[in-house]
Every structure is written in structure tokens, then in C-alpha cells.
């Protein structure tokens, strides 16, 4: 098992952002985390990557407990992630952004950029890129960092339809190459198209886990999204 | 006469250069707003003054000035560096008041407000002392050039831009921030030692905020995260400072007038060059 999340809870003041969540991510799959706004998806991502300490529960990556480690150790243990609002190093060049992830040669960096459809010279400053391009750079950075699990927080948010299509083909290719991906996504067509498994969160709890076609038919899931 | 003036001015530009470059490492390259930078300059100056007036050879004192400033800087950074932005700035500003109080009141060590006169020359001939000072400044420039272009230097800049992103890429940001302050305060201490042996006197005024305003004005005018910018800032503002000797103002007002002029110059530069002259990062 790549990732196992057991009984994770996190309160902010009186609000239960995550309330006893358990799920697993199998190796070589794309698992999507979906749910209405405020369901606790990003909080769960932050807990898994160590940015937020959980109140209770355990998280294991490849059978090693990681939930009491600082973020940089969790990253070293093998988790790579992106953010809902991109976090590129804006004053630094594309090359330096990638260098922080992994000091590979320029050739490898150029190939990687090509593979994520970011055709820009390596010395371009990140702040000169459009928002969509910054997302691609962040994705490239996460891919370059050695990892066993890739976590993407709403990769299609705020990007144009062309980049959205490109992202879909990138993720499909990564899946084919044997990567394991955990994804937060609001675009249902996108999720249904690329996911092997879907975890539905609602009000901090796991509502349903299943294959995309089962999720699409589930009454409770529809209610959570559309109301009764 | 004019040559003497030039030599003395150039010597002071050498330790200003080291001081501003060291501040740039913390503020410009790492994003740590260390308002207590002059504390480590002062520690270097006092260390050198106290040791050499007690008969310790200058080269020991010189190295110890840097090391002691760095050790104290590292200890303070280890405790405070987790504070975010302005909170770190506030704590480091507090250090200035602590250092001033200690230097004024630990009379057996510092002679209080009287200061320590008779700090011996490292080199008696002013011209050769200028050469020596610039050799030290040159080594500092070279070291910081290598550092800021190394992988470690890139990590510092990444932390400045987005600490969370650096952490989730597997970088121990706490370690790197402490390291940045350790190096920055080492050079501040070295600059302090050069200063003490240059004017042969140290008193609590080394910690004055007015002095710091001059130093940080040079940094911002030249631009953050640019070594070239810092050097240009030091030369530019020093020329302005020297030119102000010819402005006729009553001695009691000269300090205030200088600060006003620095601030006005800064505002003008930042209007036309929002990142400073060679800056790579927003001020």
C-alpha cells in the first residue's frame, strides 16, 4: 500500500475540518479526493504533507509512519505535492526552481519542461510566467523531486481549457509510467475520466470510496454536491 | 592631505561593504529582516577592542571578533528564526536595546559610555590598512558570490520566496535560515573589528539606530539580493554622506538632516527603480 490514512482528525477551534478520515491509496493508481467546498480536502492534504499536525490518527507511507515528522522529512520520505494556489519561487529562474527540487542537468530539465508542455527558456524568471504556466512549473518541480507519491491540489483550477487538456494527458501518461497520484479536483469530468478510485469527503468525513462509475451513481454523493 | 582623506574614506567603504553585503545575505537573499545587524558589528568591534587593549595579538582578536559575533548570532537565530517576517524583525530590533544597555552598564568590561580608546592599529600606515581592509572585503565578496550562486545559496533564495514550498521539496528550512544568520553575523563581526582598528576607539554609539539607518539605506538603494547592488549602494550613499559635510547645518541638527536626506534619496530611487538600482527582489 502506498499511503494509508487512518482515523485522521483535525479541529480548528470548534470546527471539525477533518473528522476521523480513513482511506488508502494503492500503488500505481490515480486516486481522487472530491467533495464540496469546505469538505476538508486541502486540510487533509496539509496533514498528510506535514504542514498541519493532526489531532489524532496515523498516516503511513509505504508502511512507515510519517504523521509526526516535519514537512521536509515527509518530503524526503517520498511525498511530492503541489498547491491550490501555486507556490513557485517567483524571483528565481525556471532552472533554479527546478534545481531546488533536484540538481539534475539542464538537458533533463528541458526534457521535463517539454513533457509538461512548458516551452520557455530555463533562464525565464518564474514571475514572468502566466498563472497556468506557473502551475505547470510547479508540477514539473514536484515531478523532478524524487518521490513515490505525487499529490496534486486542484491542478486544473484557474487554468485555460488547453492547459487543462494537457494536464489530463500528462496525468494519464504518468499513470502509465507507474506513478501513484493522489489528486484533489473539482472538475467532475476530469475526475471521472482519469481516476482509478474516488474518495468522497463531506463535512470532514469520508462519505464514499469507490470506482468512478459507482461514485457517479451514488445518491448520498449527489446529495452532498447538489443538496436534497 | 587629499590623499589622506581619500585613504580614510576608502577604508571605511571597505567595512561598510562587508557590513552591507552581510546584511544582504540575511535580508535580500534569505528574507530574514534582521534589524539587529549592528549588534553583531558592535560585538565584533568590542571584541577586537577589548582583546587588543589587553595585549592579545590583532589577528586572534580579528578572527575572534567574527567568531564571537557568529556564535551569538547563531544562538539567537536558533531561538528566533522560526518567527514569521515582522515578528523576527521586532525581536532583532529588541537586541539593539539590550546590546546598548549592556555596553553602557557593564563598565568593568566596556568602560560604559566612556568607551574604549587606544585600540591599536593593525597596520600603522593608513594606505596599507586600506589595502588590508579591501583585501578582507574582497574575500568577503568572493565568498558571498560563491555562496549565493551555489546550491545552498539557491535554497536560501527559495526560502525567501516561499518557505513552505522549500520545505515540501525536502529542505530543512530552519537549518538553512540559522546558517544564513551565522554567516551574516560572522561578516558583521569582521566589519566591526576593521572599524575598531580604523578609528582606534569603540563606544556604545556603534549600536545607534542612526548608523543602522545609513547601512540599510545603502542596502535598499543598491537593491536586495544583488551583491553588485550592495557595493554600488555603499559607494553612492557614502558619496552623498561626504558631500553633506559641505552643507552648513548646525552640528546639533546634522544627524537628523542626514537621515532625512537618506530617506528622500531612497524614496526617489524606489519611485524610479522599485527594486533598488540592481535589486532582484521587491523591497
Amino acid at each position: 500500500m502506498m499511503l494509508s490514512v487512518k482515523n485522521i482528525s483535525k479541529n480548528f477551534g470548534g470546527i471539525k475540518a477533518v473528522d476521523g478520515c480513513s482511506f488508502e491509496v494503492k500503488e500505481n493508481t490515480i486516486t481522487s479526493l472530491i467533495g464540496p467546498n469546505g469538505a476538508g480536502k486541502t486540510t487533509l492534504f496539509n496533514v498528510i504533507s506535514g504542514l498541519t499536525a493532526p489531532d489524532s490518527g496515523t498516516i503511513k507511507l509505504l508502511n512507515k509512519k510519517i504523521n509526526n515528522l516535519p514537512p521536509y522529512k515527509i518530503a524526503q520520505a517520498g511525498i511530492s505535492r503541489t498547491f491550490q494556489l501555486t507556490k513557485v519561487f517567483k524571483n528565481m529562474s525556471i532552472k533554479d526552481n527546478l534545481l531546488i527540487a533536484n540538481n539534475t542537468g539542464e538537458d533533463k530539465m528541458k526534457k521535463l519542461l517539454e513533457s509538461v508542455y512548458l516551452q520557455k527558456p530555463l533562464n525565464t524568471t518564474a514571475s514572468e510566467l502566466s498563472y497556468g504556466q506557473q502551475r505547470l512549473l510547479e508540477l514539473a518541480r514536484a515531478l523532478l523531486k524524487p518521490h513515490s507519491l505525487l499529490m496534486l491540489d486542484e491542478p486544473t483550477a484557474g487554468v485555460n481549457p488547453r492547459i487543462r487538456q494537457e494536464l489530463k494527458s500528462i496525468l494519464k501518461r504518468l499513470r502509465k509510467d507507474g506513478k501513484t497520484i493522489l489528486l484533489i479536483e473539482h472538475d467532475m469530468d476530469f475526475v471521472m475520466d482519469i481516476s482509478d478510485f474516488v474518495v468522497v469527503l463531506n463535512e470532514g468525513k469520508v462519505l464514499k470510496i469507490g470506482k468512478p462509475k459507482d461514485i457517479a451513481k451514488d445518491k448520498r454523493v449527489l446529495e452532498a454536491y447538489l443538496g436534497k | 592631505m587629499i590623499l589622506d582623506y581619500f585613504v580614510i574614506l576608502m577604508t571605511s567603504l571597505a567595512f561598510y561593504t562587508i557590513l552591507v553585503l552581510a546584511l544582504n545575505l540575511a535580508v535580500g537573499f534569505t528574507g530574514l529582516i534582521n534589524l539587529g545587524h549592528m549588534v553583531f558589528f558592535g560585538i565584533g568591534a568590542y571584541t577586537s577592542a577589548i582583546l587588543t587593549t589587553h595585549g592579545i595579538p590583532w589577528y586572534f582578536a580579528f578572527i575572534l571578533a567574527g567568531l564571537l559575533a557568529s556564535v551569538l548570532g547563531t544562538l539567537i537565530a536558533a531561538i528566533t528564526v522560526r518567527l514569521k517576517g515582522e515578528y523576527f524583525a521586532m525581536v532583532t530590533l529588541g537586541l539593539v536595546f539590550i546590546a546598548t544597555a549592556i555596553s553602557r552598564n557593564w563598565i568593568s568590561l566596556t568602560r560604559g559610555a566612556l568607551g574604549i580608546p587606544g585600540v591599536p592599529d593593525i597596520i600603522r600606515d593608513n594606505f596599507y590598512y586600506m589595502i588590508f581592509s579591501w583585501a578582507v572585503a574582497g574575500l568577503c565578496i568572493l565568498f558571498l558570490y560563491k555562496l549565493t550562486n551555489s546550491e545552498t545559496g539557491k535554497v536560501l533564495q527559495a526560502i525567501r520566496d516561499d518557505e513552505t514550498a522549500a520545505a515540501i521539496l525536502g529542505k530543512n528550512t530552519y537549518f538553512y535560515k540559522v546558517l544564513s544568520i551565522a554567516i551574516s553575523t560572522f561578516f558583521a563581526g569582521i566589519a566591526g573589528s576593521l572599524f575598531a582598528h580604523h578609528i582606534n576607539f569603540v563606544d556604545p554609539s556603534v549600536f545607534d539606530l542612526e548608523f543602522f539607518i545609513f547601512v540599510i539605506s545603502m542596502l535598499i538603494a543598491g537593491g536586495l539580493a544583488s551583491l553588485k547592488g550592495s557595493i554600488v549602494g555603499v559607494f553612492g550613499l557614502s558619496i552623498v554622506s561626504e558631500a553633506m559635510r559641505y552643507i552648513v547645518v548646525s552640528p546639533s541638527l546634522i544627524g537628523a538632516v542626514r537621515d532625512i536626506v537618506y530617506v528622500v534619496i531612497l524614496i526617489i530611487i524606489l519611485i524610479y527603480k522599485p527594486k533598488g538600482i540592481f535589486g532582484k527582489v521587491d523591497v
Side-chain angles (χ1 to χ4, degrees):
Chain A
M1 194 58 59
M2 177 59 71
L3 181 78
S4 108
V5 173
K6 266 205 187 108
N7 286 321
I8 288 292
S9 291
K10 177 69 195 175
N11 296 342
F12 291 112
I15 298 161
K16 288 181 176 169
V18 180
D19 190 3
C21 274
S22 300
F23 68 91
E24 289 178 332
V25 176
K26 291 196 175 77
E27 277 172 62
N28 194 15
T29 60
I30 295 183
T31 304
S32 290
L33 210 51
I34 66 166
N37 289 321
K41 304 181 295 293
T42 294
T43 304
L44 203 47
F45 251 45
N46 286 343
V47 168
I48 294 168
S49 54
L51 298 177
T52 307
D55 297 333
S56 59
T58 51
I59 299 166
K60 285 182 182 167
L61 180 73
L62 293 167
N63 280 326
K64 270 190 211 144
K65 201 172 147 212
I66 56 166
N67 55 292
N68 45 8
L69 299 176
Y72 79 93
K73 286 228 166 127
I74 293 178
Q76 289 170 356
I79 288 184
S80 229
R81 73 166 285 188
T82 64
F83 291 85
Q84 201 173 344
L85 297 166
T86 55
K87 284 183 169 289
V88 296
F89 304 121
K90 62 180 168 39
N91 294 301
M92 297 168 73
S93 66
I94 291 178
K95 185 184 165 185
D96 287 348
N97 264 273
L98 296 177
L99 188 141
I100 301 295
N102 193 1
N103 195 357
T104 57
E106 285 198 9
D107 287 343
K108 202 170 171 196
M109 288 179 181
K110 279 181 191 157
K111 271 194 193 130
L112 174 70
L113 290 178
E114 238 168 69
S115 75
V116 299
Y117 304 97
L118 184 59
Q119 258 95 359
K120 286 274 175 183
L122 281 175
N123 60 0
T124 314
T125 306
S127 60
E128 290 168 13
L129 300 174
S130 74
Y131 187 69
Q133 290 171 329
Q134 289 188 15
R135 303 215 72 145
L136 294 175
L137 172 59
E138 199 190 25
L139 175 64
R141 205 176 61 181
L143 286 172
L144 192 60
K145 185 190 113 24
H147 63 274
S148 30
L149 173 66
L150 181 63
M151 293 171 43
L152 307 174
D153 193 346
E154 289 198 42
T156 69
V159 303
N160 68 40
R162 192 177 59 84
I163 292 184
R164 191 171 295 212
Q165 279 309 312
E166 286 168 358
L167 273 167
K168 203 186 266 183
S169 66
I170 293 166
L171 293 186
K172 280 183 174 170
R173 195 188 62 232
L174 290 172
R175 160 81 170 73
K176 218 195 264 170
D177 294 346
K179 295 271 182 192
T180 309
I181 299 170
L182 178 62
L183 182 78
I184 293 178
E185 192 46 65
H186 272 300
D187 183 332
M188 277 310 124
D189 294 337
F190 192 94
V191 167
M192 294 305 165
D193 189 13
I194 65 162
S195 308
D196 297 299
F197 296 98
V198 177
V199 178
V200 187
L201 283 188
N202 190 31
E203 292 175 352
K205 291 193 167 88
V206 174
L207 193 65
K208 173 128 184 125
I209 302 176
K211 303 212 165 189
K213 60 178 192 301
D214 302 331
I215 296 292
K217 285 183 278 183
D218 192 275
K219 250 189 191 162
R220 286 183 306 160
V221 174
L222 294 173
E223 272 173 14
Y225 264 97
L226 305 170
K228 285 185 190 178
Chain B
M1 176 70 190
I2 287 177
L3 188 67
D4 283 348
Y5 168 75
F6 174 77
V7 165
I8 285 169
L9 175 64
M10 281 303 288
T11 308
S12 64
L13 291 192
F15 64 72
Y16 274 131
T17 298
I18 298 171
L19 194 54
V20 175
L21 286 171
L23 186 61
N24 204 346
L25 180 66
V27 178
F29 286 95
T30 321
L32 291 167
I33 305 167
N34 178 11
L35 298 182
H37 194 57
M38 301 310 287
V39 169
F40 304 99
F41 175 82
I43 288 169
Y46 267 106
T47 303
S48 232
I50 293 166
L51 292 178
T52 51
T53 50
H54 285 80
I56 308 281
W58 70 266
Y59 41 87
F60 273 128
F62 180 68
I63 296 295
L64 276 174
L67 288 180
L68 186 63
S70 180
V71 167
L72 286 168
T74 305
L75 281 175
I76 290 164
I79 300 165
T80 59
V81 91
R82 287 183 205 273
L83 295 168
K84 300 262 178 247
E86 54 270 45
Y87 298 102
F88 179 77
M90 290 306 290
V91 169
T92 50
L93 181 62
L95 295 177
V96 179
F97 300 105
I98 296 169
T100 307
I102 291 174
S103 64
R104 287 219 177 108
N105 296 302
W106 192 351
I107 293 177
S108 60
L109 185 72
T110 65
R111 291 176 29 100
L114 292 173
I116 302 170
V119 180
D121 284 327
I122 289 178
I123 300 168
R124 183 141 300 158
D125 188 304
N126 281 340
F127 180 78
Y128 289 108
Y129 188 62
M130 175 191 79
I131 301 289
F132 172 75
S133 301
W134 273 103
V136 176
L139 286 175
C140 171
I141 293 167
L142 188 68
F143 178 84
L144 290 178
Y145 178 78
K146 292 262 182 206
L147 175 70
T148 53
N149 285 295
S150 72
E151 205 172 320
T152 302
K154 302 291 182 192
V155 174
L156 299 182
Q157 292 165 68
I159 291 170
R160 171 202 64 206
D161 279 5
D162 198 316
E163 188 175 346
T164 305
I168 60 106
L169 290 170
K171 305 301 175 198
N172 183 351
T173 57
Y174 172 77
F175 167 79
Y176 281 100
K177 288 197 288 184
V178 173
L179 177 70
S180 169
I181 294 290
I183 297 169
S184 168
T185 50
F186 173 80
F187 283 115
I190 290 288
S193 174
L194 284 176
F195 164 81
H197 293 289
H198 176 54
I199 67 164
N200 310 113
F201 176 71
V202 181
D203 76 350
S205 69
V206 286
F207 300 115
D208 280 358
L209 281 175
E210 195 183 296
F211 198 8
F212 181 66
I213 288 170
F214 186 45
V215 169
I216 202 160
S217 301
M218 296 186 201
L219 172 66
I220 293 170
L224 296 177
S226 161
L227 300 180
K228 188 170 54 172
S230 290
I231 298 166
V232 168
V234 166
F235 276 76
L237 243 66
S238 297
I239 290 168
V240 171
S241 164
E242 289 304 307
M244 276 194 291
R245 288 175 190 276
Y246 301 99
I247 299 171
V248 186
V249 192
S250 96
S252 60
L253 286 177
I254 185 72
V257 170
R258 278 184 185 206
D259 284 348
I260 291 168
V261 171
Y262 299 148
V263 170
V264 169
I265 288 173
L266 263 192
I267 290 170
I268 292 170
I269 289 174
L270 294 180
I271 285 171
Y272 292 100
K273 283 267 192 183
K275 294 182 176 181
I277 297 168
F278 288 114
K280 304 217 168 79
V281 187
D282 288 332
V283 172

